[in-house]
Amino acid sequence: MTTLSEKMSDQSTRQVSKRVSQSVFDGSRLRVVLLVDVHDGAQQQFLEAYEQLCNQVAQVPGHVSDQLCQSIENPSQWLITSEWESAPPFLTWVNSEEHVRMVEPLHSCVRDTRSLRFHIVRETGSEPAEAASRRRLQASPRIGDGVIRHALTFTVKPGSEEKVAKILADYASPQARVDETTRLCRTSLFMHGNRVVRAIEVRGDLLAALRHVARQPEVRAVEEAINPYLEQERDLNDQESARVFFTRAALPAVHHVTADELAEGDRQALYYPARPDCGMRLAELLAQQDEAAAADPDSPVLRSTIFQRDDVVVRLIDVRPGVGARALLPEPGRQAALSTLLDGEPVGMDLVTDRRSPDA
């Protein structure tokens, strides 16, 4: 049977474009690092929960191996590392409802976690050269712009869209500076029907920025104001309720490309409803099209970020001024390739607010 990583492995044979600063589609192996802070006295409970979890994870397609380590200096600090055939199967699993249920036993004994994901670029080892050559490594390092891109998405109760849009448009911006190394650069918020997408750009530490935003009174007031209209109920005063909501709302960036031209443009967002189990493949196809557009001097695309989770795919695009979202919808010749993956027509989303910090 052909695995998801094998379907995408042909990407590793192509020359990595210098315009692409972020992508999960190059077919190289993935190393995931999870830093865990365990409650004092809960180490044995954590170990037992992990052993149950790792047996389940071993059955997930694309999983290669994992390792659990305990600090030699602080028994409350643990490190979990895992290797995956490539990024897509890991992201498909970690963003699934199965994962939410699978890790639930860990939360009662864990104080804090931090997840880091890396493509493997180079490695050394004692295995035979022939076996080592079959391992897919990232061909060359990517050069980024120092900006981390992330998004959240959720739905509101039908009929409440106008009220929610007003709440989300009228709030006061939070303080941009998080600490000496981290700051908020831009927040763009779009809606289509009852779906909300909030994209943020951060320089520095994304987790520190998200926690900073959550503590700001302006943002907290907005979150409380939209609570009655959410389709998925949450209690922000309940740590577990808030954690589950934001876990399900996470919409990771899977690809970012920038054209050679660095001019400022107009921000647009397109929503692509994917058929079940087709979201990752749809995102990959859009990534290929955006990479080609960035290399075309006649293309209106200046920058593009593709966000994907399950069957939700959103393409956030900066275009030359005056170009409407409809001009960015698939050309007739390319519509056929997308149509087999789509569960409805791609549509332009309505801009609710787009805010940039003064010195972003």
Side-chain angles (χ1 to χ4, degrees):
M1 184 179 69
T2 302
T3 66
L4 181 61
S5 61
E6 288 171 338
K7 291 178 182 178
M8 298 182 174
S9 63
D10 62 320
Q11 298 294 313
S12 62
T13 64
R14 297 188 298 116
Q15 180 66 35
V16 175
S17 170
K18 294 181 179 179
R19 299 181 181 90
V20 178
S21 61
Q22 177 185 0
S23 182
V24 305
F25 300 121
D26 64 6
S28 59
R29 286 181 298 129
L30 184 73
R31 175 74 65 189
V32 180
V33 178
L34 184 65
L35 305 174
V36 184
D37 186 12
V38 176
H39 288 299
D40 297 334
Q43 285 82 359
Q44 184 61 36
Q45 178 188 352
F46 171 73
L47 179 59
E48 293 171 357
Y50 167 79
E51 289 179 342
Q52 181 179 0
L53 172 64
C54 71
N55 290 331
Q56 295 173 302
V57 177
Q59 307 304 314
V60 176
H63 176 265
V64 176
S65 64
D66 57 67
Q67 197 174 53
L68 176 66
C69 309
Q70 185 177 21
S71 170
I72 61 174
E73 298 168 336
N74 181 352
S76 295
Q77 292 180 347
W78 295 70
L79 172 70
I80 301 173
T81 65
S82 61
E83 184 177 318
W84 295 76
E85 293 176 358
S86 64
F90 167 75
L91 292 174
T92 297
W93 171 70
V94 82
N95 292 326
S96 68
E97 285 297 312
E98 178 189 12
H99 175 262
V100 173
R101 294 189 298 270
M102 200 179 290
V103 301
E104 188 174 356
L106 290 175
H107 292 293
S108 61
C109 50
V110 169
R111 183 183 296 110
D112 193 20
T113 62
R114 182 180 182 86
S115 179
L116 304 170
R117 295 93 182 261
F118 301 87
H119 275 139
I120 301 176
V121 180
R122 297 291 182 271
E123 68 178 357
T124 58
S126 57
E127 65 180 334
E130 181 181 353
S133 67
R134 291 196 296 268
R135 293 175 174 265
R136 293 183 298 276
L137 304 179
Q138 184 170 314
S140 59
R142 296 194 183 277
I143 309 300
D145 56 3
V147 176
I148 303 172
R149 297 166 174 89
H150 187 67
L152 297 171
T153 186
F154 51 87
T155 56
V156 297
K157 296 174 182 176
S160 69
E161 294 89 349
E162 188 174 340
K163 293 179 181 177
V164 170
K166 188 176 189 311
I167 293 171
L168 294 174
D170 290 347
Y171 73 97
S173 298
Q175 181 181 348
R177 185 179 184 275
V178 177
D179 54 38
E180 291 183 358
T181 59
T182 301
R183 68 179 298 105
L184 302 172
C185 298
R186 190 170 185 175
T187 300
S188 305
L189 201 146
F190 292 84
M191 291 184 68
H192 170 66
N194 69 333
R195 178 166 296 280
V196 178
V197 173
R198 178 191 291 150
I200 65 170
E201 297 178 0
V202 173
R203 287 190 182 275
D205 187 329
L206 175 62
L207 183 58
L210 293 175
R211 289 175 172 172
H212 164 81
V213 169
R215 291 192 298 265
Q216 300 304 300
E218 304 90 343
V219 174
R220 183 74 180 213
V222 170
E223 298 289 354
E224 293 289 356
I226 66 172
N227 266 350
Y229 306 112
L230 296 175
E231 285 199 313
Q232 180 190 341
E233 294 184 0
R234 67 179 181 187
D235 179 0
L236 294 177
N237 295 314
D238 182 315
Q239 185 176 2
E240 182 65 10
S241 175
R243 183 196 66 78
V244 170
F245 177 87
F246 287 111
T247 296
R248 288 177 169 145
L251 188 64
V254 296
H255 191 272
H256 178 78
V257 62
T258 303
D260 294 333
E261 184 178 346
L262 298 178
E264 290 298 323
D266 294 335
R267 179 147 288 191
Q268 308 280 351
L270 297 170
Y271 171 62
Y272 297 79
R275 294 182 185 273
D277 301 322
C278 292
M280 185 64 74
R281 176 58 186 156
L282 175 60
E284 183 194 18
L285 185 58
L286 292 171
Q288 293 172 359
Q289 294 183 5
D290 278 345
E291 189 172 337
D296 181 0
D298 295 326
S299 169
V301 177
L302 299 173
R303 280 166 292 279
S304 173
T305 307
I306 296 170
F307 300 92
Q308 182 266 334
R309 180 190 182 94
D310 295 334
D311 58 354
V312 176
V313 180
V314 174
R315 188 168 160 236
L316 187 67
I317 320 170
D318 291 339
V319 298
R320 293 190 174 89
V323 178
R326 180 155 297 281
L328 301 171
L329 293 174
E331 299 172 3
R334 290 179 171 174
Q335 179 65 45
L338 291 176
S339 62
T340 59
L341 305 173
L342 285 167
D343 188 22
E345 294 296 320
V347 293
M349 303 189 76
D350 297 324
L351 177 64
V352 177
T353 182
D354 183 27
R355 306 181 183 205
R356 304 186 66 168
S357 61
D359 54 349

